[in-house]
Amino acid sequence: MLSSTLKQPALIAALLVALMAATRYQHFGSATHMADASFAVFLLAGFYLRSPWVLLLLLAEAALIDYVALAGGVSGWCVTPAYAFLIPTYGALWLGGRLYRRMHSWTWKTVLPLAGIVLASVGIAFAISNGSFYLLSGYFPEMSWSEYASGVAKYFPLYLGVTCLYVALAAIVHAVARAGAMRGGAEQTR
């Protein structure tokens, strides 16, 4: 059974929207900026929020943030015909969250499936976004697949690590909220 926190989709959606808005400008973070939480936001949205409209809302938010960044002078190097492939990229993460929701229970048995789903979802999303960029950006006409793969392989662990960090933080917040709800319910029955 999921906690009563999950019964507050508007609050969860607002928190995920705010998290993406606060972090989307920095891929890996810095001393003054949090790392981009977009991958984790879509994964968590799939877990917490049932409506596919939330997926569309988050896609629109990501595009709006990117538009504002470009208008503000951020380099448009990543905006190529491959940009459209962010839709299936983020869709894969959202579907991973949906899949884990079906498996989730408050036992340690679901930690391993969570890790597997995060790894698979991030791997699929990373392959879609980076593969489409390689094929459609026009920046790599002379580069072989193996050269490209070795060039971007250094980034996958960073995307995976950042996503795992945000998912772990969300799991901690979820567990604390659940414990608080259970304690509050126990006090009311006294």
Side-chain angles (χ1 to χ4, degrees):
M1 179 176 188
L2 298 174
S3 80
S4 62
T5 305
L6 292 179
K7 296 177 183 167
Q8 301 173 12
L11 174 62
I12 293 169
L15 290 171
L16 292 175
V17 165
L19 180 60
M20 186 161 49
T23 65
R24 189 159 172 90
Y25 295 100
Q26 292 286 321
H27 281 297
F28 305 118
S30 68
T32 57
H33 296 92
M34 292 172 35
D36 182 9
S38 297
F39 271 34
V41 164
F42 282 92
L43 191 69
L44 293 167
F47 176 75
Y48 284 110
L49 305 168
R50 293 177 190 232
S51 174
W53 290 105
V54 173
L55 174 62
L56 296 176
L57 168 77
L58 291 171
L59 288 168
E61 179 194 13
L64 179 62
I65 291 168
D66 293 347
Y67 174 80
V68 169
L70 291 169
V74 171
S75 169
W77 193 77
C78 290
V79 181
T80 69
Y83 187 81
F85 281 82
L86 289 180
I87 295 169
T89 295
Y90 294 141
L93 292 157
W94 188 79
L95 288 172
R98 299 296 303 152
L99 177 62
Y100 182 66
R101 183 181 176 106
R102 289 188 218 141
M103 298 175 185
H104 176 74
S105 67
W106 285 101
T107 66
W108 288 104
K109 293 188 295 187
T110 62
V111 173
L112 189 56
L114 173 61
I117 286 172
V118 170
L119 176 62
S121 298
V122 171
I124 291 167
F126 187 82
I128 293 168
S129 67
N130 283 279
S132 63
F133 189 72
Y134 170 73
L135 291 171
L136 301 173
S137 68
Y139 296 141
F140 310 103
E142 305 295 320
M143 189 181 285
S144 71
W145 268 106
S146 62
E147 290 171 322
Y148 182 75
S150 68
V152 298
K154 64 183 175 184
Y155 295 110
F156 178 71
L158 295 169
Y159 276 84
L160 180 62
V162 166
T163 304
C164 287
L165 175 66
Y166 283 117
V167 169
L169 290 172
I172 291 167
V173 169
H174 185 131
V176 168
R178 180 178 186 260
M182 291 178 71
R183 186 178 28 219
E187 289 176 4
Q188 289 178 356
T189 60
R190 289 184 193 180

